[in-house]
Amino acid sequence: KIPNTDGKKSKLFFSIEKLLAVPSASFKPEPKVESIFLKLRPKENYNLQDIDIKSLERITQKAFSKRRKKISTSLKGIISPEEMIQLNLDPNQRAENLSVEDYVLITKHINN
């Protein structure tokens, strides 16, 4: 799971595979975080013709700017909790709990 907006965007365009965990002791100076190598493969079978990529970027950026808040709070002014419920999305979830498809669904909804 890639926990940032770029990760969500990456999942839209790429299949992502974790290859190797890299312990912090592998680096000098030793960081306080672990690292991983990822393999990114471009997806060939996606249709982005009906998706406004700029809107999708704006929505995911806004959602993850307050990542510990409920998605309904993060996206206030873009989509209402009632609209989320109509889209079968739980407005009480956090940004990282929504899938790429959920963000695409929100984007399509607000652009229609």
Side-chain angles (χ1 to χ4, degrees):
K1 190 171 186 182
I2 301 176
N4 59 35
T5 56
D6 292 332
K8 289 287 183 183
K9 186 174 160 184
S10 297
K11 287 182 180 181
L12 180 62
F13 299 107
F14 299 95
S15 297
I16 302 171
E17 179 184 351
K18 180 180 172 181
L19 295 179
L20 175 69
V22 182
S24 58
S26 300
F27 300 96
K28 299 293 181 219
E30 188 172 321
K32 294 181 181 179
V33 295
E34 298 292 319
S35 299
I36 59 172
F37 276 102
L38 299 175
K39 182 176 189 176
L40 303 173
R41 274 189 212 172
K43 289 183 177 178
E44 294 179 20
N45 298 326
Y46 61 89
N47 182 1
L48 299 177
Q49 293 176 354
D50 58 343
I51 300 170
D52 181 354
I53 297 298
K54 292 292 182 192
S55 290
L56 179 62
E57 287 176 346
R58 183 175 57 91
I59 289 166
T60 55
Q61 182 173 9
K62 188 160 180 155
F64 282 90
S65 68
K66 299 178 183 173
R67 74 179 302 141
R68 298 309 300 163
K69 301 281 187 183
K70 294 187 294 187
I71 194 69
S72 59
T73 302
S74 298
L75 296 181
K76 187 175 183 176
I78 293 178
I79 187 170
S80 71
E82 294 78 17
E83 290 173 296
M84 288 182 190
I85 291 169
Q86 290 173 356
L87 296 173
N88 294 320
L89 299 174
D90 180 356
N92 295 313
Q93 289 186 5
R94 293 189 171 127
E96 63 264 21
N97 299 121
L98 272 66
S99 68
V100 172
E101 292 78 18
D102 293 336
Y103 286 105
V104 169
L105 183 64
I106 291 169
T107 303
K108 287 181 179 180
H109 174 76
I110 66 161
N111 286 328
N112 288 330

